[in-house]
């Protein structure tokens, strides 16, 4: 379901899934004997995988990185203390010389379906679109605003 939300977001941006590169800080979730079956990765685990995403970015040469969720943001930015997504979403950072903006993961929008939360994600994506010079229509600017 989160992937379907991501597809709709990409389409709403006026892009196709094929025109964006989607990478992962890790290509697996560490197993855990719980109902969920996995846990967020530890910083040490993400650090181990970091050379792979760096190599991918060196090949793709993106103009901007949108870090979807706390795992991606913390894995790429590697702060001394993990960032809380609510404190950093919508703020610009740099990773390997590339502009990076963190926002909520599409799975967050499955759990929290408030229009205001959707708008926060959309505002972050509008900022990313503007940063790379994509046109933003008035219709796009109005998405998820209260009528």
């Amino acid at each position: 379901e989160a992937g379907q939300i991501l597809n709709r977001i990409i389409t709403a941006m006026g892009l196709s899934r094929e025109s964006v590169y989607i990478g992962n800080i890790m290509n697996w979730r560490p197993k855990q004997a719980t109902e969920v079956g996995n846990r967020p990765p530890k910083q040490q685990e993400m650090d181990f995988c970091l050379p792979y995403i760096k190599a991918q970015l060196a090949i793709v040469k993106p103009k901007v990185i949108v870090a979807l969720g706390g795992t991606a943001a913390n894995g790429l930015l590697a702060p001394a203390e993990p960032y809380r997504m609510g404190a950093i979403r919508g703020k610009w950072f740099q990773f390997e010389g590339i502009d990076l903006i963190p926002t909520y993961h599409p799975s967050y929008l499955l759990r929290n379906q408030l229009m205001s939360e959707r708008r926060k994600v959309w505002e972050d994506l509008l900022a990313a679109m503007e940063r790379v010079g994509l046109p933003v229509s008035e219709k796009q600017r109005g998405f998820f605003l209260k009528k």
Side-chain angles (χ1 to χ4, degrees):
E1 289 182 67
Q4 292 171 352
I5 290 174
L6 182 57
N7 285 340
R8 289 194 301 269
I9 288 170
I10 292 168
T11 300
M13 293 172 75
L15 301 169
S16 67
R17 179 87 182 234
E18 296 76 28
S19 68
V20 298
Y21 184 77
I22 300 172
N24 289 298
I25 190 71
M26 291 184 61
N27 290 324
W28 74 92
R29 291 283 290 207
K31 291 190 179 200
Q32 180 172 297
T34 65
E35 183 179 305
V36 177
N38 62 47
R39 62 169 169 76
K42 296 176 181 168
Q43 190 65 48
Q44 181 181 12
E45 294 166 329
M46 291 187 285
D47 290 345
F48 179 80
C49 296
L50 209 51
Y52 299 101
I53 194 71
K54 285 181 179 182
Q56 292 170 46
L57 293 170
I59 292 167
V60 175
K61 296 179 178 56
K63 294 178 184 173
V64 70
I65 298 169
V66 177
L68 297 174
T71 298
N74 285 306
L76 294 173
L77 300 174
E81 291 294 320
Y83 290 126
R84 291 184 42 118
M85 184 53 62
I88 63 166
R89 63 139 288 273
K91 296 180 181 171
W92 288 100
F93 296 85
Q94 288 272 308
F95 178 77
E96 300 287 304
I98 305 165
D99 290 339
L100 178 149
I101 188 167
T103 194
Y104 295 115
H105 192 278
S107 63
Y108 170 80
L109 298 176
L110 288 172
R111 296 186 309 275
N112 189 333
Q113 297 186 11
L114 292 173
M115 199 66 73
S116 60
E117 296 306 293
R118 291 178 182 192
R119 180 63 192 187
K120 288 176 187 174
V121 171
W122 188 244
E123 286 174 358
D124 299 340
L125 296 168
L126 289 175
M129 291 170 66
E130 290 170 342
R131 184 66 59 111
V132 299
L134 288 173
V136 178
S137 70
E138 286 307 309
K139 180 179 178 182
Q140 287 170 315
R141 287 195 194 286
F143 287 169
F144 307 113
L145 288 176
K146 293 179 181 178
K147 304 269 181 189

